[in-house]
Amino acid sequence: MNRSATDDLRLTPQTRQAPVLSLVVAAYNEEDVLGVFFERLEAVLAEIGESYEIVCVNDGSRDRTAAILAEAAARDSRIRVVNLSRNFGKEIALTAGLDNAAGQAVVPLDADLQDPPELIAEFIRLWRDGFHVVYAVRNARETDSWLKRTTAGAFYALLNKLSNVEIPHNAGDFRLMDRRVVDAVKSLPERNRFMKGLFAWVGFRQTAVYYERPKRAAGTSKFNYWKLWNFALDGITGYSTVPLRLATYFGLIFAILAMIYGLYLLLRTLIFGVDVPGYASTMVAVIFMGGAQLTVLGIIGEYLGRLYSEAKHRPLYIVENRIGFDDDAA
Ligand code: UDP
Ligand code: MG
């Protein structure tokens, strides 16, 4: 499979001693939080006592993130860094991380400590009990604004109605995945990487762990409502073709209404004779149909655009360089 343009640089996970755990973290302008992040994560990992590696993906940061990660990798050989050539977005950065993770179990987590590393011990316990995926579900969304809570709730309800993969509510990317699951996710070639959807799509034995999601430890959120809206569109178009059928239903409903209205006009003309008025109803019909048609065209466009970008078969991301991988030329 040709996913990264730098295949020659890519490790085959077999070339290095596979640790039990791979932690995968995507970081975009996270200079403020990386210090505390490593401190807390490493404390937790020391407690757990399994062999591990931390795969950090620098998603084209413009601050000191790259330097901080390089320092971390120099200090500890278990910390590895993948520098992407520009900002590709969290989903793709995470994909790059999964591609470079060798562990028997892989745990993606955010750099801002909103995914508390303390949960990892519980993840491992359930994994050893035989679950292939252990995902974290947040109890309450108090740390989010009212607007984000309601829109997120509506989005997941809609998504699960429209698609036939069950994407758990209030679960993020924070989870533990068995190697088999990671390999399955890696085998999905699509560019539209709505990771939660991919994780749900591959199936396997899954279970949930509940937690309170804390506020970001430092720095600011990299997402705004426009990004979230596009993320939601990716989710819906990636997992459902129901919106494409809207045109059919629109069309059917209006054809039936038009027939009834046509009959009514015919009868009225036969009984009362011809009358000219009707400007308002004509205008309403024209404007409404125009709007409905543009909407449906727009929906088709959303799918067509995605189809186009899939058809180009570009690599998902470009790696600028990698630090700390055994097969790297030093
Ligand atoms: N992130 C990334 N690339 C981006 C945006 C975000 O790698 O283009 C990373 C970011 O560094 C963090 C994680 O994705 O580790 C989640 O981002 P953030 O905390 O800003 O999102 P929020 O929690 O506000 O939804
Ligand atoms: Mg966050």
Side-chain angles (χ1 to χ4, degrees):
M1 272 220 347
N2 181 19
R3 315 176 58 156
S4 155
T6 44
D7 266 353
D8 50 327
L9 267 183
R10 268 186 70 191
L11 80 177
T12 40
Q14 290 75 7
T15 57
R16 71 178 192 252
Q17 186 67 274
V20 172
L21 270 183
S22 289
L23 293 306
V24 171
V25 53
Y28 176 52
N29 296 344
E30 298 287 10
E31 60 180 4
D32 293 330
V33 82
L34 282 173
V36 266
F37 170 75
F38 281 120
E39 218 167 276
R40 226 172 99 191
L41 180 62
E42 287 175 318
V44 167
L45 291 169
E47 183 101 341
I48 291 173
E50 300 283 1
S51 61
Y52 69 85
E53 63 171 359
I54 306 177
V55 178
C56 310
V57 181
N58 166 27
D59 188 14
S61 301
R62 272 179 281 262
D63 64 356
R64 292 196 57 252
T65 296
I68 296 171
L69 291 179
E71 271 165 37
R75 145 176 84 72
D76 188 329
S77 64
R78 290 169 296 190
I79 299 178
R80 319 185 199 284
V81 183
V82 179
N83 283 303
L84 299 185
S85 61
R86 64 169 170 86
N87 180 247
F88 282 88
K90 184 189 173 187
E91 308 295 300
I92 293 201
L94 199 53
T95 304
L98 294 186
D99 286 346
N100 284 282
Q104 292 158 32
V106 178
V107 178
L109 75 176
D110 285 358
D112 59 6
L113 290 170
Q114 284 194 287
D115 300 332
E118 290 72 18
L119 277 184
I120 295 171
E122 178 71 1
F123 284 178
I124 294 175
R125 204 179 58 70
L126 286 160
W127 174 50
R128 299 254 195 251
D129 279 354
F131 287 101
H132 301 127
V133 177
V134 187
Y135 58 88
V137 174
R138 44 210 290 203
N139 274 325
R141 280 180 164 254
E142 276 121 36
T143 46
D144 279 346
S145 67
W146 175 86
L147 186 64
K148 192 161 175 189
R149 255 179 294 150
T150 25
T151 48
F155 167 65
Y156 284 106
L158 180 71
L159 184 57
N160 280 328
K161 270 231 161 54
L162 291 183
S163 76
N164 40 24
V165 283
E166 187 69 25
I167 297 171
H169 284 231
N170 293 338
D173 297 323
F174 186 34
R175 60 189 61 219
L176 177 147
M177 285 174 286
D178 186 79
R179 168 59 35 202
R180 271 169 289 179
V181 179
V182 176
D183 287 342
V185 169
K186 282 166 67 177
S187 74
L188 304 179
E190 58 234 70
R191 313 190 47 74
N192 174 357
R193 298 201 83 75
F194 181 72
M195 291 309 260
K196 291 176 237 190
L198 299 184
F199 293 155
W201 187 89
V202 297
F204 290 98
R205 288 191 63 199
Q206 310 214 355
T207 189
V209 164
Y210 294 84
Y211 76 113
E212 300 293 336
R213 188 164 174 88
K215 278 200 163 56
R216 194 174 234 287
T220 50
S221 174
K222 311 297 179 277
F223 285 88
N224 53 35
Y225 279 101
W226 178 243
K227 272 200 189 177
L228 285 174
W229 164 250
N230 285 314
F231 185 60
L233 282 185
D234 276 343
I236 302 229
T237 53
Y239 294 88
S240 169
T241 50
V242 172
L244 282 176
R245 267 177 254 150
L246 280 182
T248 318
Y249 298 122
F250 263 131
L252 274 177
I253 290 169
F254 285 109
I256 292 168
L257 288 179
M259 249 156 61
I260 295 170
Y261 187 56
L263 268 177
Y264 161 76
L265 284 184
L266 184 71
L267 290 175
R268 203 181 64 172
T269 315
L270 287 177
I271 297 165
F272 299 108
V274 185
D275 64 345
V276 181
Y279 177 75
S281 57
T282 312
M283 278 315 278
V284 168
V286 167
I287 292 170
F288 184 82
M289 286 312 296
Q293 282 165 353
L294 283 181
T295 308
V296 169
L297 269 182
I299 292 172
I300 297 174
E302 290 289 335
Y303 283 89
L304 187 65
R306 282 172 176 78
L307 202 58
Y308 178 55
S309 74
E310 297 284 354
K312 283 189 283 197
H313 289 298
R314 290 194 180 153
L316 280 174
Y317 55 85
I318 306 286
V319 174
E320 187 179 311
N321 66 340
R322 303 189 319 149
I323 308 168
F325 291 90
D326 298 348
D327 54 346
D328 283 350

